[in-house]
Amino acid sequence: MTASNDVRKAMQATNERFCHDVIRDGRFDALSSIYTKGARIMPPGAPMVQGRGAIEGFWKSAVAGLGVTGVKLTIEDTEMAGDTVIEIGHADLQMGKNGTASVKYIVHWKQEDGHWRWDKDIWNMNA
Amino acid sequence: MTASNDVRKAMQATNERFCHDVIRDGRFDALSSIYTKGARIMPPGAPMVQGRGAIEGFWKSAVAGLGVTGVKLTIEDTEMAGDTVIEIGHADLQMGKNGTASVKYIVHWKQEDGHWRWDKDIWNMNA
């Protein structure tokens, strides 16, 4: 079963915080309203990173290192699993003078404090 | 909630079919008892691949291309989500003369025809 419109809207709102607040505006503290407290991310070329503090450190360093200037997230598919959602999506990255990159991902979403947040986040490049 | 011992045992059996039947013995038709009918895989460096036929084609070509001679799958964490399981794990690959590679992954498991199978499968390299 796909997620309801209400859940998808809440997911979109979280995704927009990532694109606008974190990536565009560099407000990395906003990650605490995007990831759950126990969240784990699994980035390509690095070991798994767990917990909000470590995740904030990862994104600061990754955005600076790659020169990411913009991200667009697109939800392709949602699937309810109990009271959680499994999402398949893709991200279009803009990287200043380095051009663009196309990324696909799975995010496992959970509700925490009344908000839909990323609990597990894994991605890789299409090329 | 983590998966029960019975569910984990069934997952291990599926994983062993992948390591032994598919990778060690080259019996790619065994993939039909590992992936669900509508399964999607999200490999690094390539677009998403959907459906058993396409997935079999991907693995044939990837194993030959990389010279994979052995895989060991380790379940790190399981989480029940409704009647499905979200697994975080890692894979140790042996690639003939090309050495080894360390891979981390998320698999979304579903029961199909009484067996636990991989419905969504995404991975990337640690380095």
Side-chain angles (χ1 to χ4, degrees):
Chain A
M1 192 177 63
T2 58
S4 69
N5 281 344
D6 282 353
V7 171
R8 278 182 73 107
K9 268 186 204 166
M11 292 167 62
Q12 295 279 13
T14 301
N15 285 356
E16 280 167 24
R17 278 202 300 280
F18 184 79
C19 298
H20 298 164
D21 298 0
V22 178
I23 301 298
R24 190 190 60 190
D25 299 341
R27 291 190 36 228
F28 290 91
D29 61 321
L31 288 164
S32 64
S33 66
I34 293 166
Y35 284 100
T36 65
K37 287 187 186 70
R40 282 170 282 188
I41 66 173
M42 299 165 72
M48 184 157 65
V49 177
Q50 177 147 20
R52 281 181 180 153
I55 289 173
E56 190 173 325
F58 168 83
W59 280 117
K60 272 185 191 161
S61 145
V63 166
L66 294 169
V68 179
T69 52
V71 172
K72 186 178 171 234
L73 296 175
T74 304
I75 298 173
E76 286 181 26
D77 188 32
T78 60
E79 196 172 308
M80 294 300 304
D83 54 0
T84 70
V85 174
I86 291 146
E87 178 207 357
I88 290 180
H90 69 265
D92 296 298
L93 270 64
Q94 300 224 329
M95 299 183 296
K97 298 169 187 161
N98 301 317
T100 60
S102 190
V103 168
K104 59 191 176 307
Y105 64 80
I106 285 183
V107 169
H108 185 211
W109 293 74
K110 291 185 181 174
Q111 260 191 309
E112 184 187 69
D113 303 335
H115 297 282
W116 282 93
R117 291 179 177 160
W118 305 352
D119 186 65
K120 300 175 192 68
D121 182 13
I122 181 170
W123 67 94
N124 60 39
M125 315 297 266
N126 281 354
Chain B
M1 192 179 63
T2 57
S4 69
N5 280 344
D6 282 353
V7 170
R8 278 182 74 107
K9 268 186 204 166
M11 291 167 63
Q12 295 279 12
T14 301
N15 285 356
E16 279 167 24
R17 276 202 300 280
F18 184 79
C19 299
H20 298 163
D21 298 1
V22 177
I23 301 299
R24 189 191 60 190
D25 299 341
R27 289 190 38 229
F28 290 92
D29 60 322
L31 289 164
S32 63
S33 66
I34 293 166
Y35 285 100
T36 65
K37 286 187 187 71
R40 281 170 283 188
I41 66 173
M42 298 165 73
M48 183 158 65
V49 177
Q50 176 147 22
R52 282 180 181 154
I55 288 172
E56 189 173 325
F58 168 84
W59 280 117
K60 272 185 191 162
S61 145
V63 166
L66 295 169
V68 179
T69 52
V71 171
K72 186 179 170 229
L73 297 175
T74 305
I75 297 172
E76 286 181 22
D77 187 31
T78 60
E79 196 172 307
M80 294 301 303
D83 54 0
T84 70
V85 174
I86 291 146
E87 177 207 357
I88 290 180
H90 70 265
D92 296 298
L93 269 65
Q94 301 224 326
M95 300 184 295
K97 297 169 189 163
N98 301 318
T100 60
S102 191
V103 168
K104 59 192 176 304
Y105 65 80
I106 285 183
V107 169
H108 186 211
W109 293 74
K110 291 185 180 174
Q111 260 191 310
E112 185 187 68
D113 303 335
H115 297 282
W116 282 94
R117 292 179 177 161
W118 305 351
D119 187 64
K120 300 175 192 67
D121 181 13
I122 181 169
W123 66 95
N124 60 40
M125 315 296 267
N126 281 355

